[in-house]
């Protein structure tokens, strides 16, 4: 396996690997909104989604590769409506076997550089479970602050209702 990390935007040809990755992290993490049901997309649906995403100036899908394997993703989605197209929502996930190696940091560095270069997004937001201290630390490192608490914003792996932070960064 290669130890060189490559981060690039997703392409249509990545669809099957991306679906497999999202299904995997959905099964292995209790911190994501994605769960064991997976992403529920076919390869052709993912290809179409990535193609549509590529044509928008306020959306991006970054993939972190170690060799041929996806190690992590950072996805920025924003609406096309004028009044809210400046607000991007972030989804980030790193496969459990690759956590602790700084892949999330590298993904954020590239994504934030893209946001500043493109200049369309003025607000980035994300949600994170209050108990996910490692993720909160990463987000704070990049200038995100807690804007609100969603009381009972998610369920944990035991079915208990838990609080979720809404974190934001402005440009």
């Amino acid at each position: 396996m290669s130890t060189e990390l490559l981060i690039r935007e997703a392409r249509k040809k990545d669809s099957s690997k991306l679906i497999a990755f999202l299904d995997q992290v959905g099964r292995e993490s209790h911190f994501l909104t994605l769960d064991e049901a997976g992403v529920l997309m076919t390869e052709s649906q993912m290809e179409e989604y990535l193609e549509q995403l590529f044509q928008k100036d306020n959306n991006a899908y970054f993939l972190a590769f170690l060799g041929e394997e996806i190690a992590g993703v950072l996805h920025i989605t924003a609406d096309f409506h004028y009044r809210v197209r400046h607000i991007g929502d972030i989804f980030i996930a790193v496969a459990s076997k690759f956590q602790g190696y700084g892949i999330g940091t590298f993904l954020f560095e590239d994504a934030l550089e893209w946001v500043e270069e493109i200049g369309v997004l003025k607000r980035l937001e994300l949600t994170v479970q209050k108990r996910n201290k490692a993720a909160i630390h990463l987000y704070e490192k990049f200038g995100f602050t807690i804007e609100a608490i969603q009381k009972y914003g998610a369920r944990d792996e035991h079915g208990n209702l838990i609080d979720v932070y809404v974190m934001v960064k402005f440009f």
Side-chain angles (χ1 to χ4, degrees):
M1 177 176 81
S2 172
T3 57
E4 184 176 333
L5 182 69
L6 168 70
I7 296 177
R8 64 168 172 77
E9 288 195 61
R11 302 177 187 139
K12 282 173 53 171
K13 70 176 187 164
D14 299 315
S15 294
S16 65
K17 284 184 180 181
L18 181 54
I19 291 168
F21 173 84
L22 293 171
D23 288 348
Q24 172 194 337
V25 296
R27 285 188 305 273
E28 68 188 18
S29 176
H30 297 292
F31 293 122
L32 302 174
T33 51
L34 193 62
D35 61 19
E36 54 276 342
V39 71
L40 301 174
M41 290 177 87
T42 66
E43 190 172 339
S44 62
Q45 288 170 327
M46 181 62 82
E47 287 175 357
E48 185 177 324
Y49 177 71
L50 292 174
E51 182 63 31
Q52 290 173 3
L53 198 77
F54 186 71
Q55 295 174 20
K56 298 174 182 174
D57 64 354
N58 62 347
N59 286 250
Y61 214 130
F62 295 95
L63 305 179
F65 282 91
L66 280 171
E68 295 295 313
E69 189 173 1
I70 297 176
V73 301
L74 190 150
H75 184 190
I76 300 173
T77 54
D79 201 313
F80 68 93
H81 292 97
Y82 174 76
R83 291 186 178 132
V84 292
R85 72 181 314 273
H86 65 283
I87 302 169
D89 186 58
I90 292 180
F91 170 83
I92 183 171
V94 175
S96 62
K97 70 180 182 178
F98 297 117
Q99 290 177 4
Y101 295 103
I103 292 171
T105 295
F106 288 119
L107 281 163
F108 260 104
E109 287 172 348
D110 282 17
L112 295 178
E113 182 178 306
W114 175 84
V115 167
E116 290 185 9
E117 182 180 309
I118 297 301
V120 175
L121 297 172
K122 302 301 178 193
R123 172 190 171 101
L124 284 180
E125 55 190 32
L126 55 86
T127 57
V128 58
Q129 293 177 15
K130 186 176 174 180
R131 66 186 181 150
N132 192 347
K133 303 298 183 202
I136 293 165
H137 176 73
L138 175 67
Y139 307 149
E140 289 176 337
K141 180 169 107 174
F142 284 101
F144 284 79
T145 58
I146 296 169
E147 183 177 64
I149 299 174
Q150 290 180 328
K151 198 80 174 147
Y152 297 166
R155 288 188 189 274
D156 69 12
E157 59 276 18
H158 307 292
N160 301 310
L161 295 169
I162 55 176
D163 296 346
V164 171
Y165 289 144
V166 176
M167 298 186 76
V168 297
K169 178 178 176 72
F170 298 99
F171 294 84

